[in-house]
Each structure stands twice: as C-alpha cells, then as structure tokens.
Amino acid sequence: MSDSNHTGTFFFLAGLPGIEAVHKWLFMPLCAMYVASLVGNSLILWVVRSEPSLHQPMYYFLLMLAVTDLGLSASTLPTVLPIYLLGLRKVAMDVCLAQLFFIHTFSIMESSVLLTMALDRFVAISNPLHYGTILTSPRVASLGLASVVRSVGLHIPAPIMLRKLPYCQNRLLSHSYCLHPDVMKLACVDTHINSAYGLFVVLSTLGVDSVLIVLSYVLILQTVLSIASKAERLKALNTCVSHICAVLLFYTPMIGLSMIHRFGRWASPSSRMLLSYVHFLIPPVLSPVVYTIKTKQIRLRMLRFLGSGGAGIRDT
C-alpha cells in the first residue's frame, strides 16, 4: 500500500482500563516519576562530567546508561502524560511509528550498555593491574558507538515495514505508547515477515546480551572464588552490586511482560499495562538512586551539590 493511503491514519492509545474516573489522579505519580528520572539521570551526567576523578571507564559507562534512561523516559513521556491529564488518546501514525522506533532503540541501547558494564566489571576484577590499559578511552568510545549503531541500525527497518501495511478500522492499541508488536497486530494482512524480523531483533540483541551478561558473571564468580581472602572477595563482589541491581531492574519486568504476551492469555489488560509501566518507567527512576547509594564518589558529589554537607564529608 502506498504511503499516501496512510494520510490521516490515527491510532488510539490506552490508559489503565476500568479506572478512567481516577486517571487525572494517576497523572501526579506518573509525572513525579518522570521528573525523578529526568532530574536523577541529568545529575548523574553532570556529576560524571564535572568531577575529574570520575573520568574512568566505569563512570563513562554509567554516563551512557544515564543517557539511555533519559532517552527512554523522553520517548514514552509525550503520550503517557497527556492520556492521564487530558484524556488525549489519538496519535498520528507517523508520530506513533517514530515513538516506537525511539522506545525500542533506547531499550536495546540500554541492554548494550548493561553488557559493556558487565565487561567492565569482569576486567576490573579479573585483571585489575591492566584495567586502565585494556579499557582505554578510545575503546570505551568505540563500545559506546557500537551500541548506538547496532540499536539504530536494527530498528530502522521496523517503522518502514509497518508504514507499508494496511490497517483495519479497529486501531486501538493496548498500551499508553506505541510498541512494535502492538501496532503490528492491527494490520489487516499477513504479518509473518514483520513478526519474524521483530523476533530476530529481540533474540540477536536482548537474548544475546542477557546470555553474555550471565556468562560474564559466571567468570567473575570463578575469579572471586579463587581469591584467598574473604574480605577481598566481598570487596570485589560489592563493586558489582549496583550493576546487578540495574540488570535485574531492566530484564526482570521485560521477561515477565514477554511471558504474559506469549503465554498469559488469562492475564488481564491491567496487569499487562502495569508490567509495561514497570519495565519502561521504573528502571530510569531507580538506576540513578542505586548508583548514588552504592557509589561513594557520586554520593558525596550529589550531597555537595544539594548543600547537605557533602563538601565537608568529601574533604574528610
């Protein structure tokens, strides 16, 4: 179907079903979550860039994670908040396709960054004396660029393929933002090619990344268990706590959501939507909190910025 036939095509987004009367009240906690995400990740960016002692590979990867979290929050915000505040559910097709492109791109980018952070922890624990020579700034930049190229390159075909499909009269989506499987199911023609492509992208990115992250931690555990001192083992494992929390925050709801979509026909639309909110909204909010709590340099710099005596603590 030609692109001209899609002129004036709209989709309709969904809010939490059954509680439409209190949607305006839900706007406040959702807005607070977005503000927390934008402020928290922006502070992480500011701290890493402004503190010379943090110009190290570990913190460069943290900076990349903050950028992807900001991108993910900015991708879902334009449709989520208007639904609950103004009841605006109608979204133009081109806007919808652009949104799903950015949501999926930043999701894959975050998975890539979590993988590179696992690599960083493995190198730091298994070969600490050569950490600086292995993960040099050019190599860190190359890993970041590779994450961007992979994420963008794999998702460029998705909106183009969806743009060519004819859509039925029922254009009601099941989420508050546009997602590839959600838009694809509204097409009035066979979508096996689109479905196969989507599955290929998921398996080649999220699937491969998750397996490599698990493998890296198996190798990390082997290295840690070979350390004679119990105190040194605990110290080495403690450096991984923040990253493990970030991985669990990202992958746990994603796996749950995928299982519900594929096998949970019994699940209510509300449970699917709540889990999707957990997947897309919670990690950008909590990741800065986790890294601020577990990373001393960032925590003290934050305290200094907030005027809570952090400068004195830092000097001490």
Side-chain angles (χ1 to χ4, degrees), residues 21 80 279:
V80 173
H279 174 48

Side-chain angles (χ1 to χ4, degrees), residues 16 31 72-74 89 91 105-106 136-137 143 208 217-218 233 244 289-290 293 305:
L16 278 170
C31 184
L72 197 55
S73 293
R89 302 172 182 269
V91 57
T105 296
F106 281 113
T136 60
S137 295
L143 288 171
V208 171
Y217 271 100
V218 170
R233 289 201 296 267
I244 292 173
V289 176
V290 170
I293 292 174
F305 174 75

Side-chain angles (χ1 to χ4, degrees), residues 213-228:
I213 289 173
V214 171
L215 178 61
S216 68
Y217 271 100
V218 170
L219 298 175
I220 287 173
L221 283 175
Q222 289 180 346
T223 303
V224 169
L225 292 175
S226 66
I227 301 175

Side-chain angles (χ1 to χ4, degrees), residues 227-254:
I227 301 175
S229 170
K230 181 179 179 180
E232 290 296 325
R233 289 201 296 267
L234 292 176
K235 182 179 179 181
L237 289 175
N238 188 54
T239 63
C240 300
V241 171
S242 299
H243 179 253
I244 292 173
C245 290
V247 169
L248 292 176
L249 284 171
F250 179 77
Y251 280 102
T252 303
M254 181 197 71

Side-chain angles (χ1 to χ4, degrees), residues 45-310:
L45 291 176
W46 174 78
V47 167
V48 173
R49 290 190 61 185
S50 63
E51 185 64 43
S53 64
L54 300 182
H55 293 175
Q56 302 174 29
M58 172 184 174
Y59 301 106
Y60 289 145
F61 291 131
L62 178 56
L63 186 146
M64 295 178 194
L65 183 64
V67 170
T68 58
D69 281 336
L70 283 171
L72 197 55
S73 293
S75 299
T76 58
L77 183 151
T79 55
V80 173
L81 294 185
I83 287 175
Y84 289 94
L85 179 62
L86 305 172
L88 299 178
R89 302 172 182 269
K90 192 176 181 181
V91 57
M93 181 179 185
D94 289 337
V95 174
C96 187
L97 296 180
Q99 184 183 46
L100 72 85
F101 169 78
F102 285 110
I103 288 177
H104 291 297
T105 296
F106 281 113
S107 294
I108 300 303
M109 205 178 297
E110 181 150 350
S111 176
S112 301
V113 173
L114 290 173
L115 174 59
T116 57
M117 295 176 84
L119 172 65
D120 169 78
R121 291 299 84 209
F122 171 68
V123 174
I125 291 174
S126 64
N127 204 347
L129 297 179
H130 297 90
Y131 175 74
T133 57
I134 295 175
L135 288 176
T136 60
S137 295
R139 285 178 180 170
V140 171
S142 298
L143 288 171
L145 180 61
S147 299
V148 173
V149 171
R150 182 181 77 153
S151 304
V152 173
L154 283 174
H155 283 99
I156 286 177
I160 297 175
M161 294 168 69
L162 290 175
R163 190 74 170 76
K164 296 180 179 297
L165 296 176
Y167 292 93
C168 303
Q169 293 301 316
N170 178 21
R171 295 172 185 160
L172 178 62
L173 300 172
S174 56
H175 293 286
S176 303
Y177 25 72
C178 298
L179 301 175
H180 182 270
D182 212 16
V183 174
M184 182 179 62
K185 72 180 182 181
L186 300 182
C188 296
V189 294
D190 181 77
T191 57
H192 280 91
I193 295 178
N194 300 71
S195 181
Y197 180 76
L199 182 61
F200 163 74
V201 171
V202 170
L203 292 178
S204 63
T205 54
L206 298 173
V208 171
D209 291 352
S210 59
V211 170
L212 292 178
I213 289 173
V214 171
L215 178 61
S216 68
Y217 271 100
V218 170
L219 298 175
I220 287 173
L221 283 175
Q222 289 180 346
T223 303
V224 169
L225 292 175
S226 66
I227 301 175
S229 170
K230 181 179 179 180
E232 290 296 325
R233 289 201 296 267
L234 292 176
K235 182 179 179 181
L237 289 175
N238 188 54
T239 63
C240 300
V241 171
S242 299
H243 179 253
I244 292 173
C245 290
V247 169
L248 292 176
L249 284 171
F250 179 77
Y251 280 102
T252 303
M254 181 197 71
I255 293 173
L257 186 62
S258 176
M259 294 295 289
I260 285 181
H261 274 295
R262 292 186 179 276
F263 307 109
R265 296 181 180 178
W266 48 266
S268 65
S270 297
S271 62
R272 296 183 183 185
M273 187 169 293
L274 284 173
L275 195 53
S276 76
Y277 285 162
V278 172
H279 174 48
F280 288 111
L281 305 186
I282 297 298
V285 173
L286 293 186
S287 288
V289 176
V290 170
Y291 276 96
T292 299
I293 292 174
K294 293 298 297 179
T295 309
K296 182 180 179 182
Q297 294 92 327
I298 293 178
R299 182 172 67 252
L300 296 182
R301 186 70 172 173
M302 290 280 196
L303 290 173
R304 185 180 180 185
F305 174 75
L306 297 173
S308 302

